[in-house]
Structure formats: structure tokens, C-alpha cells
Amino acid sequence: MNIINRRTFVKKTAAFSSLPICCLLETNVLPSFSPKATAAKISLTEARHYEKLPYKKIRCKLCPRECVIDDLERGYCGVRENRDGIYYTLVHSRPCSAHIDPIEKKPLFHFLPGTQAFSIATVGCNVECKFCQNWEISQMRPEQAQSFDLPPESVAQIAAERNCSSIAYTYTEPVIFEEYMYDCAVEGRKRGVQSVMISNGYINKIPMEELCDVLDAVKIDLKAFRQKFYTELVAGELQPVLDTLILLQRKKMWYEIVYLIIPTKNDDPQEIRDMCRWIAKDLSPDVPVHFSRFYPQYRLKNISPTPTSTLTRAREIALAEGLHYVYIGNVAGHQAESTFCPQCGMVLIHRIGYRILANKITNGTCPNCRFKIAGKWN
Ligand code: SF4
């Protein structure tokens, strides 16, 4: 269990409450919906993936931690609680964040380019990355943050009304609000709105298989290709993430991989080569890989931003290992934000940041050489 002392609690809570509805529902972009923020409110919905143990204990089966939890205790993620031998999620229908973002921001570059995603998150996470960009909400407990009552039907309705092609489960770790994500995806489908999961991939096989039935795309943060990194900087494990990627490939789910390169931590060319070789061989050369630039964050403020040369070298390694679509992220205006045809080299989607200046992909192919470009384009 992740325990914080009183000083940290007060500091974190103060930091959060001082923000103008920090990362919360922006009513100006949602004119037809007037959410009421309620501080420190939880909901109780029975969890779907757990088993009952003697003496009112339970074992959570949602993620590889498989927390064993006594009555009136919570799991590591802090958003699931055992009450009298029944395990509950405390965050179903209680997002703390909601925005409309370009799908390119997730980033998903081969999935409905140029469309908008209604993006939601609850508090909580099942790991603790020392470089987390959203630690103010990912490391919170439900009582520490404002949240809104937003049931799945409303999420889907807002997305449809605002012409969002998808609902994105993002910002924190959607694995820990799996039931809410699943229900939103079902409601979205009824209204023709797709669903994308932006995740660390640290989830057990059975819940991920079930999610594959209702999701349309997934982005996985593969944070390193060495267990040492996961132990020291993530508080998680590498192998379950690789297993999730293999499962997504087997299920024919559309997915993309982001690898945040942190200088001295996961930038060894051999590690990057090993990863790319594994992706090409065990997954597919068609999986887009985004090498993303690190900026000092959270508990990793003593490391400088990633040099562009490191990102360029990683991209060269990936292309040499046979990957077809390799991007560089968080470097404004870099040409590797665009999509190139792997066969003839033509620029197919010209991007600057999250903006698309031109999209030449025609019926899923390169208009110049007819090479089939992997992705979901319509
Ligand atoms: S989802 Fe939360 S409670 Fe369940 S195993 Fe993972 S960290 Fe533990």
C-alpha cells in the first residue's frame, strides 16, 4: 500500500486545490453539460476482477500486483476498497479530468487522424513512475481530489454531441478504472463513438481480453526494455507489459507504442536495438513506435531533457531493425512527426505538433506506390 505522511498529503492537496479546476471538466467546451464538482466524493461499484478469500479478504485480479486486501483496506492503486469481503471500485463515474484533445496528442498517429477524442481520467495509478507528468492526479486518492458525477451514458453523449470520434481513457492509468472504461466504451459504441485506451499495459490477461471486445485502439507506454528500469523508476514489471503487447497483437487490436527516452536511464543503443528487434519479430514491423523526449518531472528533476541526437539515433536503430513507422515526439517541428511511406519514402501525413497539414493516404494506401499503410483510417 502506498502510504503518504500528513505533510505530503497537505502539500499535495493544497497544490491540487489551488489550480483552476485543474485538469477538470472544462464547461466552456461542454456547453450542453453542467457538471457539478464535488470534493472528496467516492462511488461504490463492485469490482469485476477479484476473488474472495477466507476471513473477508480478497485478491484483486485486475493487474499483475494481485493485491491481497483485508476488510476495510485498499489496494496499491488506492481506488479500490474491500468492504465486508466485497471489493469495490471507488471511482466508477467519478472522473477528475475531462478534455477534448486531438487524437494525435495521445499519441495515436495511425488511428482516425485529424479527429478529436473526448478524454477522461479518474485519480489513481497502479505504478509510480518517478517521471510521471500527471502525478498531481495519478498519485491522488479519491478523497484528495475534486471529481464529477459523469456516468457512462453521459460520457458517450457528450462525445457524440461534440463530434468526437472517440473516447480516450488517459492522463492517469485507465487500468485502475477498468469497469468505468468498459461501460463507457459500451455506451460509446451505441452512439458510433470509438474508444481508445492510453495505458502502461500493466494489466492481467483476462481483463485485457475483455477490454479488447469493446476498445478500438490502444497506446502502450513501453517505459524501458530492462527490468532494472521498471524496478527502480516505475515500481512495476516489464514482462506483463510485453505480454499485453503480444495479446494485443494476437487480438488484432490496433495499437501503438511510446518509448520515453530518459538520458542515462533507458537510452542505451543496445537496449533500444533489443526492443526494436523484439517488436519486429514478436509483434509486427507495422507497429508504430514513438520515441518521445523526456523533460524533468516529478521526482526526476535532476536529469536534463533528452538531446535530439539521442532521439534521432534511436529512430535510425528502429528503422535499421525493420520497423516501418518510427516517430519522434515532444520535439516541435521535427520532420519525424510526419508519416512516410516505408516503400517509396513519400510524405503521407504531414504533421506539425498535433496539427495535420496534409493527409495523402488513399484507401489505406500510399497514392504513389500503393503500399498498404497499416492503421485505421476511416
Ligand atoms: S488494480 Fe489496484 S488493487 Fe488491483 S492488483 Fe492492481 S494495484 Fe492492486
Side-chain angles (χ1 to χ4, degrees), residues 60 62-63 65-67 69 75-77 80 87 126 176:
C60 180
L62 180 52
C63 92
R65 287 192 187 282
E66 302 217 347
C67 302
I69 301 157
Y76 177 92
C77 55
R80 297 171 172 271
Y87 204 38
N126 58 353
I176 59 89

Side-chain angles (χ1 to χ4, degrees), residues 42-52 56-62 69-92 142-143 176-180:
I42 61 171
S43 68
L44 284 179
T45 301
E46 187 172 359
R48 292 191 187 140
H49 297 280
Y50 76 99
E51 65 183 16
K52 295 185 179 184
K56 293 185 180 176
K57 290 187 180 191
I58 67 93
R59 176 180 287 112
C60 180
K61 303 288 282 183
L62 180 52
I69 301 157
D70 283 322
D71 189 19
L72 297 177
E73 294 289 340
R74 292 185 188 179
Y76 177 92
C77 55
V79 299
R80 297 171 172 271
E81 186 169 295
N82 180 352
R83 293 194 179 189
D84 208 22
I86 309 286
Y87 204 38
Y88 293 95
T89 162
L90 308 178
V91 292
H92 194 291
E143 292 82 354
I176 59 89
F177 59 90
E178 183 267 346
E179 296 85 356
Y180 184 36

Side-chain angles (χ1 to χ4, degrees), residues 99-345:
H99 298 274
I100 293 176
D101 292 333
I103 194 76
E104 284 75 18
K105 190 175 176 183
K106 301 303 144 194
L108 284 169
F109 278 11
H110 290 229
F111 181 81
L112 308 180
T115 62
Q116 303 286 307
F118 183 49
S119 306
I120 57 171
T122 74
V123 296
C125 189
N126 58 353
V127 296
E128 186 184 0
C129 298
K130 290 191 169 29
F131 45 91
C132 183
Q133 294 180 0
N134 291 327
W135 63 269
E136 292 100 332
I137 48 177
S138 71
Q139 298 305 317
M140 283 287 166
R141 301 295 174 255
E143 292 82 354
Q144 294 173 288
Q146 286 188 314
S147 62
F148 293 84
D149 182 25
L150 200 64
E153 301 79 14
S154 300
V155 171
Q157 185 186 337
I158 293 167
E161 282 176 1
R162 300 297 299 173
N163 293 322
C164 294
S165 298
S166 57
I167 303 164
Y169 313 96
T170 179
Y171 305 134
T172 57
E173 178 44 59
V175 167
I176 59 89
F177 59 90
E178 183 267 346
E179 296 85 356
Y180 184 36
M181 170 166 50
Y182 187 98
D183 292 346
C184 288
V186 169
E187 290 301 321
R189 284 225 167 146
K190 290 179 189 170
R191 294 163 177 81
V193 179
Q194 304 199 30
S195 274
V196 301
M197 175 187 182
I198 311 303
S199 173
N200 60 23
Y202 198 49
I203 181 172
N204 277 348
K205 183 180 168 197
I206 290 175
M208 191 66 241
E209 281 184 329
E210 288 181 8
L211 284 166
C212 284
D213 293 338
V214 296
L215 293 174
D216 299 283
V218 176
K219 187 217 78 177
I220 296 291
D221 280 312
L222 182 54
K223 297 170 192 285
F225 206 60
R226 300 281 186 263
Q227 177 54 42
K228 185 170 183 284
F229 181 102
Y230 271 83
T231 302
E232 294 177 357
L233 296 174
V234 177
E237 298 166 276
L238 170 62
Q239 190 56 50
V241 181
L242 302 183
D243 293 342
T244 296
L245 288 165
I246 290 169
L247 172 63
L248 295 174
Q249 180 68 28
R250 182 167 59 77
K251 285 279 188 180
K252 297 186 169 53
M253 173 66 65
W254 181 255
Y255 64 98
E256 303 186 21
I257 293 173
V258 168
Y259 187 95
L260 179 76
I261 302 186
I262 303 178
T264 72
K265 300 296 183 186
N266 62 357
D267 61 347
D268 178 2
Q270 189 57 50
E271 179 175 357
I272 290 170
R273 186 170 291 107
D274 290 348
M275 176 187 70
C276 295
R277 203 165 280 176
W278 179 80
I279 292 171
K281 180 170 165 288
D282 287 31
L283 301 177
S284 162
D286 279 339
V287 179
V289 173
H290 304 251
F291 290 111
S292 191
R293 187 181 202 192
F294 163 83
Y295 286 95
Q297 300 276 353
Y298 192 33
R299 299 183 194 276
L300 220 54
K301 292 205 174 116
N302 57 332
I303 295 181
S304 301
T306 320
T308 308
S309 57
T310 304
L311 295 156
T312 305
R313 184 178 56 188
R315 184 169 186 266
E316 287 168 358
I317 291 170
L319 292 171
E321 291 300 328
L323 299 187
H324 288 161
Y325 310 103
V326 188
Y327 299 99
I328 289 178
N330 284 349
V331 182
H334 198 289
Q335 67 160 7
E337 288 178 325
S338 293
T339 301
F340 297 86
C341 175
Q343 186 160 272
C344 72

